[in-house]
Amino acid sequence: MSALDQVIAEVGRGEVAFPTHADVAFRVRLALDDPDLHLGQVAQLVLAEPLLAARVVALANSVAFNRWGQHVADVQSAVTRLGTRFVRTLATAVVMRQMTSGLRSPDCRALSERLWEHTAHVAALAHVLARRFLRPLADVALFAGMVHEVGGFFLISRTELHPDLFVAGSILSPEVDRLIGQAVLKALAVPQEVVEAVEMLWEPRSGSFPPVDLSDVLSLAHRLTPIPSPLHSPDAQDVAGDVQAAPLLAEILEKSGEEMESLISALHY
């Protein structure tokens, strides 16, 4: 049985184990799902995970959330500015980041870095596009972008136990991507609307333009990013090449350049 078959078998048995160094962030992430938490309690939970606390403050001070130049230096003020839902997004991102933070293999660390660059760029694009076309979904779109490659991060984290899991140029099949991705999304208690949007990336579809729902926004962001996933074949359709879509997309991306850069910088750590 190959290393990949072993991991697939583990996931099929419901064994989605996160590395020890991701455990605190994982528990904080699940605790943030409590609907009765007030902002002070959210801030206390965030402080339990130093990396999460640093990211919360950094994002609260980014151009996307600090258009008036009023910087905050404490977690509670940052949580108040971002809101609980956005803090959940960052907590999930920290779990994903810490999945692969203890990797000893230089090749696997490099693979994780490339996947994170892709993820952060797609997430920022999804947020910007949703603000333009489906504004109420902007925060959810960012979250969807952050978790759309979570199965890949999980597999990379398993290379410590299965060193031959990835070979040079490994590409995940849609079937494996779906199986692993669905299991990890469930373990992270990702909302169903986000799960469904991520699942649509595994289907042979291009989405509509202008986007009409979360799936369309995520699909568009995934196809527009100049940073491809190192684990997947490039998207077949380049939506930016569409004569009707290209001018509008170019205008949106140009006007949102500073916001994009601030989000990517805050997420890419």
Side-chain angles (χ1 to χ4, degrees):
M1 180 183 290
S2 70
L4 181 58
D5 288 335
Q6 291 179 51
V7 174
I8 290 174
E10 293 168 6
V11 168
R13 294 191 298 267
E15 300 173 9
V16 180
F18 296 104
T20 303
H21 41 267
D23 186 58
V24 173
F26 178 58
R27 286 187 278 113
V28 169
R29 164 66 186 86
L30 294 183
L32 288 170
D33 280 336
D34 185 347
D36 295 325
L37 289 176
H38 57 69
L39 289 176
Q41 291 171 312
V42 172
Q44 288 179 339
L45 285 170
V46 170
L47 284 167
E49 213 310 310
L51 183 56
L52 175 58
R55 288 304 93 200
V56 165
V57 174
L59 198 59
N61 286 322
S62 70
V63 172
F65 292 92
N66 183 30
R67 299 181 184 278
W68 305 276
Q70 298 175 349
H71 286 258
V72 297
D74 63 285
V75 169
Q76 182 148 346
S77 296
V79 166
T80 301
R81 179 175 292 176
L82 295 177
T84 301
R85 184 167 64 180
F86 219 103
V87 172
R88 288 195 203 103
T89 296
L90 290 179
T92 304
V94 169
V95 174
M96 292 168 58
R97 195 62 164 151
Q98 291 193 347
M99 279 187 200
T100 57
S101 65
L103 293 173
R104 288 169 291 187
S105 164
D107 289 341
C108 287
R109 287 200 303 269
L111 183 64
S112 175
E113 283 301 314
R114 294 200 305 274
L115 188 60
W116 190 256
E117 289 178 9
H118 164 79
T119 296
H121 204 276
V122 170
L125 269 172
H127 182 73
V128 164
L129 291 168
R131 281 176 62 89
R132 172 60 176 80
F133 296 108
L134 299 165
R135 193 175 186 87
L137 294 180
D139 291 355
V140 181
L142 180 78
F143 185 46
M146 289 306 307
V147 300
H148 83 281
E149 294 280 9
V150 70
F153 283 104
F154 177 77
L155 283 174
I156 294 172
S157 77
R158 302 298 287 170
T159 57
E160 292 297 290
L161 294 176
H162 305 281
D164 58 341
L165 188 59
F166 285 106
V167 296
S170 291
I171 298 294
L172 295 181
S173 70
E175 294 76 20
V176 171
D177 206 4
R178 177 186 293 275
L179 179 65
I180 302 297
Q182 286 177 330
V184 182
L185 289 169
K186 180 179 180 180
L188 285 172
V190 171
Q192 187 59 30
E193 65 175 321
V194 174
V195 173
E196 291 173 358
V198 174
E199 287 177 339
M200 294 307 294
L201 290 179
W202 305 323
E203 301 290 339
R205 66 186 288 274
S206 59
S208 63
F209 185 85
V212 298
D213 57 23
L214 182 61
S215 296
D216 285 343
V217 167
L218 184 58
S219 175
L220 181 58
H222 196 260
R223 286 179 288 131
L224 280 176
T225 180
I227 305 174
S229 166
L231 301 181
H232 301 93
S233 299
D235 288 308
Q237 179 182 352
D238 178 12
V239 72
D242 186 291
V243 293
Q244 293 181 330
L248 179 56
L249 287 172
E251 179 186 353
I252 293 169
L253 296 179
E254 181 179 0
K255 289 182 176 178
S256 305
E258 188 177 9
E259 181 179 351
M260 279 279 299
E261 288 302 319
S262 71
L263 280 172
I264 292 170
S265 177
L267 295 171
H268 191 182
Y269 50 91

